[in-house]
Every structure is written in C-alpha cells, then in structure tokens.
Amino acid sequence: MIPARHSFLEATARARVRGLLDAGSFREFCGPAQRRTSPHLPALGMPVAFDDGIVVGEGTIEGRPVLIAAQEGAFMGGAVGEVHGAKLTGLLERALDTRPDAVVLLLDSGGVRLHEANAGLIAMGEIQRAVFDARAAGIEVIAVIGGRNGCYGGTSIVARSCDRIIASEEGRLSVSGPEVIEAVEGIEEFDAQDRALVWRTMGAKHRRLTGEIDEIVADDIDAFRSAVAAVLGAPRPFDLDALEAEHARLAGRVARFKGAKDAREIWAALGVNDPDRVSDIEADEFNRLVAVLEGDRP
Amino acid sequence: MERLEFRFAGRPGTPLSADGEALVGVVGSGNLEVMIERADLGGACEASVDTSIHGFGDTWQQVIGDFVERRGLANIRLSINDGGATPAVVMLRLDQAWAGLGEKAP
C-alpha cells in the first residue's frame, strides 16, 4: 500500500502551516478578522484579501518553538505588497524578542507586488534586513519552497539570505522568471513555454546540485515537516569568514561552468553519469545521487 | 470594484451564544474568500461583499439569503472579497465557511 501523501504544492498557505506545526499549536498574529488589507489595491479597482496573502504566527514543531510565515500563492501570485511585507518583517523582528528555535518562511511568490510599486520594493529591503538581523542574533531562518509560484524576484533574494533552503522538486528559485527572460533576451535565448528547460534551469534539483538549495524533499507536507524539524536550532555561521567563503565558492562556480550552454552540461561536469535522467528521478533517488557526488568531492 | 451590503432578518431576538470566526477560500480569478464571524446582531445576519464584477447585486442577495435561510442562521456576519466567482462557487464557499465555524465552536 502506498502511504498517504498530503501535497504541499496543492495546499493553501493555511493548510501548509497547520501541516507543518504540531496540531493545535498555531497562534496567528494580525489574523484576517483584523482586516489589515492593502491600502493600494482598492485605488486600482482590485479586490483585497483579509490577510493580504500571508499567514504569520507562532507554534511548535515537535515541541520546539518556531515563528512561521506562509505566503498564499493563489492571491496575486504570492506577491509582496506593503502590508504583506510588514507582516513578514514584523515576524522576523519578533524573533529577536522571543528567540524561537527558528523562523520558518514558506515562500510561494513571484516577488514584489508591482501594483504597490515602491511600497513593495521597500518592504522587500526591510524583510531582507530583518532576516540578517535575526541571523546576526543567532536565530536560524529557514526558507521552504514548494508552491506553484516557486520563489522569484525579491523573494528569491530573501530566500538566499536565509540559513538554508528546503524545497521539493516542484519548487523553482530564480531572480528573473522565464517570461521575463524571454521578453528581454528573446525566445532563442530562453523559451518560457519549454517547461523542461525552465525546470532544469531554475528547478530545485538544479539549484541543489549547484549548491543554492540545501535539501530536496518529496512534495509531501510531512516530508517538509521532518526536514524542517531535523535542522531546527542549527544556524549557519553568519560572519565575514562565511561571506568570503561563499563569494569564493560562487567565483569558482562561474569560472568552472561559464562555458556551459545547458544545465545538463553542468550536471555532467559535476559527475552525474546520466544527466538526462535527473529530471525523472524521485526525491529519494536524487538525494542518493547527491550524496554520492558530495562524497566524491575532495 | 463594487461594494454591496445586505441585512437578513435571521432569527430576531436570538441571543449571541458563542464567538469565533473562520476564513475560507482565496481571492483569485473566479474564486473568493469568505470570512464568517459570530456577532451580536440581535439575531439578524449581515453580509458585505467587495466584488470585481459590477451589476450582480440581486444575484448576491439571493445566494446569500438562501444560505442564511437554509442554515437557519442568526448573529452571523459574512465578509466577502470576490474575484468574480460564479453563484455555485459562492454557495460552496458559504457552506465551507459555516463548516469551518462549526469546527471552532466552543
């Protein structure tokens, strides 16, 4: 019998929060009944959401205290507006006072809500600063990516500012989205309709192989929960040495792969015997492959 | 956007017996969110609808009125953000909201 899976991809933000936290432990901040809605959308004749497309609050995972946020991807593509951003920033700032074992960000977003222009952009800067303030205080910030919108634009920058990223194969991570690249560089450079191309360029498996995502899990809320629980309270170093080491790693990566025309060439160079199969294998087999590759590294 | 406000008689004189709220659905194309709250309205029910589609006030009144009557509701406030949902979807969400409120009953 196949064990029941509860898809993270298909779930709403609220269902994801309920599924990740211990039953009954969630306490929401600035909940929908407070009606903290966007001040900008009505001026544009657009409907608002009572929670501005994000759920924030506190709870426990396996009894350990966490702060948690979940973007609702079905509302305006999870895009970050002024109120949405303030809720996220406020949650991260709260961590300085309550010192949870981690702040967990369930990201599902195309980036800044362009309808809110400068307010959305400012919000993104504030979120990133708040992530760094939390990390500087020794509080772990974990990004989780597995929603339909992936993690793009400013939200992708926020994700990469976190201690670590956990994602499902369905997750995508990139600053510019496929349509943006196609519009700017032309369809010869990037065909946004080619989903295989999109996933092998921005998909979570590629990001795992190139060291931007830390762990791949199956599209299953319990799998995400276990992965988050396993790394709670283990913040990564956040100092000048860590930053310089990361810059050196990225410089080395550019030098090593700058001639590659396709992600499969990079995978082959990393030691993957059959790059064409990478897209097809399940999370378990993929993780065994990664373990072998990383074990082979000097 | 169009804002619509409705008031239904409900069960006049019914005292407020509990509090709580529930939120269901997400605002998107063809979808809506419904927040249902218990409030002391003297047994009446109120609904406010913000919808992106103009000119369907009568339809909203009938759908919500039918829901209030069918469930025998009193002291309920409904707040709706709508992205152009059809009446069938609206009715589904209203029933879902009522079920969600029931889960939270003391």
Side-chain angles (χ1 to χ4, degrees):
Chain A
M1 185 181 139
I2 299 167
R5 265 194 194 184
H6 295 100
S7 170
F8 186 94
L9 184 77
E10 303 283 343
T12 63
R14 288 175 186 280
R16 289 171 185 169
V17 168
R18 276 198 301 275
L20 251 76
L21 297 180
D22 297 338
S25 72
F26 181 58
R27 186 165 78 92
E28 184 168 2
F29 307 138
C30 304
Q34 294 183 29
R35 295 172 166 78
R36 295 177 190 270
T37 58
S38 166
H40 304 283
L41 296 176
L44 298 169
M46 301 187 73
V48 299
F50 290 121
D51 57 11
D52 206 35
I54 188 166
V55 183
V56 299
E58 64 186 1
T60 58
I61 295 176
E62 296 185 358
R64 304 178 66 173
V66 296
L67 293 175
I68 190 164
Q71 294 179 307
E72 176 48 69
F75 178 65
M76 305 198 80
V80 178
E82 185 173 6
V83 174
H84 181 120
K87 287 171 78 173
L88 203 40
T89 300
L91 185 80
L92 287 155
E93 289 177 348
R94 182 182 176 85
L96 301 176
D97 295 328
T98 64
R99 301 200 65 83
D101 281 8
V103 184
V104 183
L105 308 179
L106 312 184
L107 304 176
D108 187 354
S109 174
V112 169
R113 190 183 297 167
L114 295 177
H115 314 73
E116 306 201 9
N118 296 4
L121 286 164
I122 291 167
M124 211 58 99
E126 289 173 342
I127 295 163
Q128 193 182 13
R129 170 176 284 257
V131 168
F132 287 147
D133 284 345
R135 292 191 60 194
I139 296 156
E140 184 182 17
V141 185
I142 302 169
V144 172
I145 302 170
R148 207 167 283 290
N149 297 291
C151 183
Y152 284 96
T155 317
S156 73
I157 299 171
V158 168
R160 287 287 290 144
S161 301
C162 296
D163 284 271
R164 47 173 54 82
I165 303 176
I166 298 167
S168 64
E169 179 188 353
E170 287 79 359
R172 288 159 293 149
L173 175 68
S174 183
V175 177
S176 298
E179 284 83 4
V180 174
I181 299 173
E182 183 185 302
V184 174
E185 300 291 336
I187 197 167
E188 303 81 8
E189 175 68 21
F190 200 92
D191 179 358
Q193 300 300 315
D194 183 345
R195 294 169 76 81
L197 172 67
V198 169
W199 255 268
R200 70 177 182 265
T201 310
M202 307 168 172
K205 280 176 173 169
H206 176 61
R207 296 306 192 191
R208 175 68 188 89
L209 286 167
T210 55
E212 285 151 337
I213 282 176
D214 298 273
E215 185 166 2
I216 299 292
V217 298
D219 174 37
D220 175 18
I221 291 179
D222 284 341
F224 275 106
R225 175 185 164 87
S226 299
V228 170
V231 295
L232 282 181
R236 291 238 161 94
F238 186 62
D239 55 20
L240 187 58
D241 287 347
L243 187 67
E244 287 182 340
E246 177 66 1
H247 281 195
R249 186 184 74 82
L250 293 172
R253 200 177 72 179
V254 169
R256 186 174 175 192
F257 301 123
K258 65 183 174 188
K261 297 286 183 201
D262 189 284
R264 286 170 297 199
E265 293 174 30
I266 294 174
W267 303 344
L270 287 168
V272 177
N273 288 331
D274 190 356
D276 287 333
R277 270 201 75 231
V278 167
S279 301
D280 298 330
I281 58 181
E282 296 286 327
D284 287 348
E285 187 181 351
F286 176 79
N287 285 327
R288 285 195 294 274
L289 169 68
V290 172
V292 169
L293 294 176
E294 294 189 341
D296 282 347
R297 282 183 192 166
Chain B
M1 295 298 296
E2 182 173 12
R3 160 157 287 220
L4 304 164
E5 307 267 3
F6 303 106
R7 187 175 173 91
F8 304 94
R11 289 182 283 124
T14 307
L16 184 65
S17 59
D19 59 7
E21 84 267 345
L23 177 73
V24 299
V26 175
V27 187
S29 181
N31 205 342
L32 76 164
E33 68 176 352
V34 176
M35 184 151 56
I36 186 167
E37 298 165 287
R38 296 189 191 274
D40 189 357
L41 301 173
C45 295
E46 291 180 357
S48 66
V49 179
D50 282 300
T51 174
S52 59
I53 310 288
H54 287 244
F56 285 84
D58 290 349
T59 310
W60 281 104
Q61 175 146 25
Q62 285 170 20
V63 170
I64 299 172
D66 178 62
F67 167 70
V68 169
E69 192 179 312
R70 188 162 45 87
R71 295 285 182 183
L73 302 184
N75 295 316
I76 289 290
R77 176 176 288 131
L78 296 162
S79 306
I80 293 173
N81 288 317
D82 173 53
T86 61
V89 173
V90 175
M91 190 60 91
L92 186 92
R93 290 285 180 223
L94 289 170
D95 282 335
Q96 190 186 1
W98 175 241
L101 193 63
E103 282 171 16
K104 292 181 181 176

